[in-house]
Amino acid sequence: MRYFPLQSGGGFSFRQSSSSSSTAMASLPSLLSPAPSSLKFLLLRRPSSLPSPATSLSPPALASAAPPQRKASAQASAKRSSRPSGTTPPPPPPPPPTVTVSTPDAAGAPPVATKKVLIPIGFGTEEMEAVVLIDVLRRAGASVTVASVEPQLQIEASGGVKLVADVPISECCDEVYDLVALPGGMPGSVRLRDCETLRNIMSKQAERKRLYGAICAAPAVTLLPWGLLKRKQTTCHPAFFDKLPTFWAVKSSIQVSGELTTSRGPGTSFLFALSLVEQLFGESVAAEIGESLLMHDADDNSKNKEFNKAEWVVDHTPRVLIPIANGCEDIEVVTIVDILRRAKVDVVVASVERHLQILGSQGTKIVADKLIGEAAETSYDLIILPGGTAGADRLHKSRILKKLLKEQNLAGRVYGAICSSPAILHRQGLLKDKKVTAHPSVANHLACEGIDGAKVVIDGKVITSRGLASVTDFALAIINKLFGHGRARSVAEGLVFEYPRS
């Protein structure tokens, strides 16, 4: 692989010259067989002393029902971010406790230490930022612990999504982590700041020169009062930028300053997570994960495409149903819900399982608002299916959801799907004569006209999208159709996400 520096948001990025690999996915009956794909992706630049990647790796399975256990090379695991020039690093601290994993194809090779990561959450945490961090780091092979700073494990995030932590923060006091990363959001950043246990953990992390990071409001609201931004170049959400020390504040999407990495907001969450993967595991692993996420490089001209234009505007607050199941892509669920609620859409998250809580494809625990049976008592202006192969299979088996989708079509109301879920619509005959897009492993198996190179495709009252890296474009396209360009642009600005002016 070769990388070329590109200017990006006040910082720099890397562009991969070429990459080709096969994306392996579990089989959805008759449709979701693996298909080769050639993908580009965007990675942020780290200090110039970072070695270039030596190999191209195949991406991991995209949508399993449980977090994947993958093995990074010993060389990649050893890579760390460079120290600022002119400083002498302290003697290395004792190595942290590690989890070791062995795989059959590694017979005779030494076991690989899994990097330990802590992600704290609290009431009002920004759900997109938290879930993207959890998902991407787990894909890279990190052992991620999600800890609640509240008295209970279940918290309600800033956009109303209910997440369940793995442990209370009190159980993390004596652990040593390779990385502690703080999601932002308000009042989530304040809840993190006021947690004395978390403050002690983070202070030790900084003292020991181990990696730590924060995004959105957290750099200014949480780390600054703790004194953890001293002599560190830092960025944060534009709404909190004036709180940062003027001399050290920078307006870049990602800022790496020694052990500290900061980022601007939900719209830069993928780049923030990939930067942390790169520092933990090395460039080649970050490149691999970027491919699996369908990240595009900076000069990618793909955009939304619309055919057979139809009005989606309604004379009331739009009602949207998001059905979920075990194995659904957690990033897609949370991002769509979060962004639509920012636009004041009435969103109902309904579980097709027997319980409200589901386990996302990368192990995130999400609590639905209702069971699908109760949700079916109401009609919806829009029904959107999240992806994830295992989740799509379970959604397809729901008789209640199948009936809802059939009624949606007959009534001329809007429906759509992302990633692997267009296969559900296809199998139910709801994509006939429609132009669509889907995850590359699914698109070639749909008996309808696929549109290459488009992140989002709208055909009349059907909307589809490629997958993880295009989920923000997908949600904003829905807002554009429901409310117009002005509302979509306003929401994008709050996300710190690039959106066309017209």
Side-chain angles (χ1 to χ4, degrees):
M1 293 185 197
R2 298 175 57 208
Y3 294 83
F4 302 96
L6 297 173
Q7 191 71 27
S8 174
F12 287 88
S13 62
F14 282 125
R15 179 165 63 85
Q16 183 187 16
S17 60
S18 65
S19 176
S20 178
S21 63
S22 297
T23 304
M25 298 184 72
S27 176
L28 183 65
S30 76
L31 283 174
L32 303 187
S33 58
S37 59
S38 180
L39 307 171
K40 297 178 179 179
F41 53 89
L42 180 66
L43 294 175
L44 290 192
R45 186 181 184 185
R46 295 182 51 234
S48 58
S49 60
L50 185 72
S52 298
T55 58
S56 176
L57 305 176
S58 299
L62 277 177
S64 58
Q69 294 293 327
R70 59 180 306 283
K71 183 169 76 70
S73 69
Q75 179 183 3
S77 297
K79 292 182 183 177
R80 298 296 301 274
S81 61
S82 59
R83 311 281 181 187
S85 60
T87 64
T88 302
T98 56
V99 179
T100 58
V101 294
S102 303
T103 55
D105 62 344
V112 175
T114 300
K115 300 291 186 178
K116 296 181 65 176
V117 176
L118 175 65
I119 298 178
I121 59 175
F123 174 75
T125 286
E126 217 302 314
E127 49 262 82
M128 282 177 61
E129 294 163 358
V131 172
V132 169
L133 279 170
I134 296 164
D135 184 297
V136 173
L137 286 163
R138 282 178 173 164
R139 287 173 188 270
S143 175
V144 178
T145 298
V146 183
S148 171
V149 301
E150 307 295 346
Q152 67 282 344
L153 293 181
Q154 180 176 315
I155 65 101
E156 183 172 322
S158 61
V161 174
K162 302 177 186 72
L163 303 174
V164 181
D166 303 318
V167 297
I169 193 68
S170 58
E171 293 188 14
C172 305
C173 300
D174 299 326
E175 298 290 336
V176 180
Y177 296 96
D178 297 282
L179 165 69
V180 181
L182 308 184
M186 291 294 284
S189 296
V190 174
R191 303 293 291 182
L192 299 187
R193 180 199 68 195
D194 293 344
C195 176
E196 193 63 27
T197 301
L198 178 60
R199 177 176 182 168
N200 292 336
I201 292 171
M202 205 64 155
S203 296
K204 290 178 183 177
Q205 191 78 5
E207 289 169 6
R208 295 173 179 178
K209 302 297 181 182
R210 298 191 186 279
L211 297 179
Y212 64 106
I215 186 172
C216 193
V221 174
T222 310
L223 294 185
L224 181 62
W226 290 349
L228 299 182
L229 299 184
K230 290 179 180 178
R231 304 184 66 82
K232 300 284 189 184
Q233 287 190 312
T234 309
T235 191
C236 71
H237 193 281
F240 299 89
F241 193 78
D242 60 354
K243 295 182 180 297
L244 297 177
T246 304
F247 182 76
W248 298 98
V250 290
K251 293 183 177 180
S252 56
S253 295
I254 306 291
Q255 183 62 39
V256 179
S257 184
E259 297 77 28
L260 172 65
T261 303
T262 51
S263 188
R264 303 200 80 190
T268 62
S269 294
F270 280 109
L271 302 178
F272 180 53
L274 283 174
S275 176
L276 296 173
V277 168
E278 185 181 340
Q279 292 173 67
L280 284 171
F281 297 105
E283 281 186 15
S284 61
V285 176
E288 174 189 353
I289 300 305
E291 266 190 32
S292 75
L293 297 172
L294 305 184
M295 296 290 285
H296 297 280
D297 59 4
D299 62 355
D300 184 9
N301 294 318
S302 62
K303 57 183 180 180
N304 302 351
K305 295 184 179 180
E306 185 171 4
F307 306 89
N308 303 312
K309 288 189 177 182
E311 284 292 330
W312 290 17
V313 178
V314 294
D315 59 1
H316 54 266
T317 299
R319 291 186 296 271
V320 176
L321 176 67
I322 312 290
I324 61 175
N326 290 326
C328 279
E329 285 288 3
D330 27 29
I331 287 178
E332 293 168 0
V333 172
V334 168
T335 299
I336 295 168
V337 175
D338 187 348
I339 293 178
L340 292 184
R341 284 178 174 165
R342 285 170 180 262
K344 309 304 180 185
V345 174
D346 180 9
V347 179
V348 174
V349 182
S351 169
V352 304
E353 308 290 350
R354 294 183 179 181
H355 305 285
L356 291 176
Q357 183 176 309
I358 67 102
L359 190 68
S361 63
Q362 302 302 316
T364 303
K365 301 165 191 171
I366 302 171
V367 180
D369 303 317
K370 300 177 180 180
L371 296 177
I372 191 68
E374 182 184 355
E377 297 172 1
T378 304
S379 62
Y380 298 91
D381 301 294
L382 181 62
I383 298 177
I384 292 295
L385 308 182
T389 308
D393 196 14
R394 297 184 73 82
L395 292 178
H396 175 68
K397 291 176 181 177
S398 170
R399 295 180 180 179
I400 297 175
L401 179 57
K402 190 174 295 185
K403 181 182 177 183
L404 282 172
L405 287 168
K406 182 178 179 181
E407 291 173 351
Q408 195 80 356
N409 181 45
L410 292 174
R413 296 192 292 263
V414 185
Y415 54 91
I418 185 171
C419 193
S420 55
S421 284
I424 300 174
L425 300 180
H426 167 68
R427 294 179 70 187
Q428 296 182 18
L430 300 177
L431 294 183
K432 186 178 180 180
D433 300 323
K434 294 292 183 182
K435 295 178 174 64
V436 300
T437 189
H439 189 274
S441 63
V442 175
N444 293 336
H445 301 277
L446 300 178
C448 47
E449 186 175 350
I451 304 299
D452 294 331
K455 295 178 181 177
V456 180
V457 173
I458 302 171
D459 190 340
K461 294 191 175 182
V462 176
I463 181 169
T464 53
S465 186
R466 284 169 59 83
L468 289 159
S470 64
V471 65
T472 301
D473 298 275
F474 179 65
L476 290 172
I478 293 172
I479 294 172
N480 195 348
K481 290 294 294 181
L482 290 174
F483 300 105
H485 183 84
R487 179 82 63 91
R489 180 165 174 78
S490 175
V491 171
E493 287 177 351
L495 297 170
V496 197
F497 182 81
E498 281 192 28
Y499 195 76
R501 293 187 175 275
S502 60

